[in-house]
Amino acid sequence: MILPSVVHAIGNTPLVDLSRICQRLDLDGRILAKLDYLLPGFSKKDRAARSIVELARAEGTLLPGQTVVELTSGNMGTGLAIVCGIMGHPFVAVMSAGNSVERARMMRALGAEVVIVPQAEGSKRGEVSGPDLALVDEAAQRITTDRKAFRADQFGHSGNPQSHATGTGPEFWEQSGGTITAFCDFAGSGGTLAGAAAFLTPHGVRCYAVEPEGARAIAGEAITNPDHPIQGGGYAMGDLVHLNGTSLAGHLAVSGDAAREGARMLARTEGIFAGYSAGANLAGAIELLRGPEKGGCVAIVMCDSGLKYLSTDLWE
């Protein structure tokens, strides 16, 4: 098959049985991992980037040749850099200085203009907090206004969860032969969790939110420790628009150490070179198979590539 552009390669990623990890940990059940780190931009955010741009163009809210602006940890920005480049839109990525440098370099290589926003006072390098994200959002809003640009708005645009309701969720179900009993996902914008849940829940699949220990805002808990190394999510935001109306079976807490160990286990045991949030998803799935989903089949997403973390402590 010859595709008309790399944008058409977004979606339909492989589903892999993590049987070696389950055997190593003596887990009663099965974990199926969707390899979205193999998408063109090396992350699941390619799906949302394509969906948002295509929907906005169809609706006329994104005009031909108009600049696109979005805040990003680096993954949505990479996806948008690819999609916008193919579809003829200049793209400006606005990112916190707390994110890994590989992400900014990759976006620039793909033709994006990258604006780095200094972190909030007291924030740690390599860890992006809610206050850091607020500063990035302010800068993105200002640039959008100044350049009369289109704001992709991954935290609010319906194209984000829609891409997972029509893509990720159905792919999980079809590729697994309808055997999935649970799904868990580390929440950033909440788009993957909400969209996949919209498709999977009616099929009897129980869906869980994964958040960092001490920053479980979606679970409605007080924030006691917003600092964590899991980039791309866990911003201690309890008011995620995409999750409004989403029926969740429960909430899981994952430490930075558990996410780090999960990513390393994926690499060394299954040959899957993924990032921090993939490790968090694995840690959540392990918790489920040791608890409420014992004996079941848990689906998770390998959110992005481990190549985006070579400058961090993930692979030390």
Side-chain angles (χ1 to χ4, degrees), residues 151-170:
R151 176 72 184 272
D153 190 18
Q154 62 177 300
F155 281 83
H157 199 288
S158 62
N160 181 352
Q162 181 176 309
S163 70
H164 301 289
T166 60
T168 308

Side-chain angles (χ1 to χ4, degrees), residues 77-232:
T78 300
L80 284 169
I82 291 170
V83 173
C84 289
I86 293 295
M87 296 188 177
H89 298 278
F91 172 59
V92 182
V94 189
M95 190 173 78
S96 170
N99 290 117
S100 60
V101 296
E102 292 89 344
R103 297 166 180 244
R105 289 174 179 169
M106 184 174 181
M107 287 187 287
R108 290 191 179 105
L110 288 164
E113 176 185 344
V114 182
V115 176
I116 303 297
V117 179
Q119 290 183 269
E121 185 176 353
S123 292
K124 297 179 181 177
R125 183 78 175 186
E127 298 182 5
V128 180
S129 65
D132 291 332
L133 192 66
L135 291 175
V136 175
D137 185 49
E138 289 176 9
Q141 290 182 34
R142 184 175 61 254
I143 294 169
T144 300
T145 300
D146 291 346
R147 304 196 186 186
K148 295 180 174 58
F150 169 78
R151 176 72 184 272
D153 190 18
Q154 62 177 300
F155 281 83
H157 199 288
S158 62
N160 181 352
Q162 181 176 309
S163 70
H164 301 289
T166 60
T168 308
E171 288 172 29
F172 265 132
W173 193 247
E174 292 164 11
Q175 290 171 319
S176 70
T179 61
I180 292 170
T181 59
F183 169 69
C184 67
D185 194 62
F186 184 73
S189 67
T192 307
L193 180 58
F199 179 87
L200 294 172
T201 299
H203 286 82
V205 178
R206 293 171 292 279
C207 298
Y208 297 80
V210 179
E211 296 184 271
E213 284 185 351
R216 301 209 308 163
I218 300 171
E221 296 182 359
I223 307 303
T224 58
N225 182 22
D227 298 330
H228 63 87
I230 313 172
Q231 295 183 27

Side-chain angles (χ1 to χ4, degrees), residues 56-74:
R57 283 165 60 100
E59 293 174 341
T61 52
L62 174 59
L63 303 177
Q66 186 178 12
T67 297
V68 175
V69 175
E70 181 56 339
L71 62 76
T72 180
S73 69

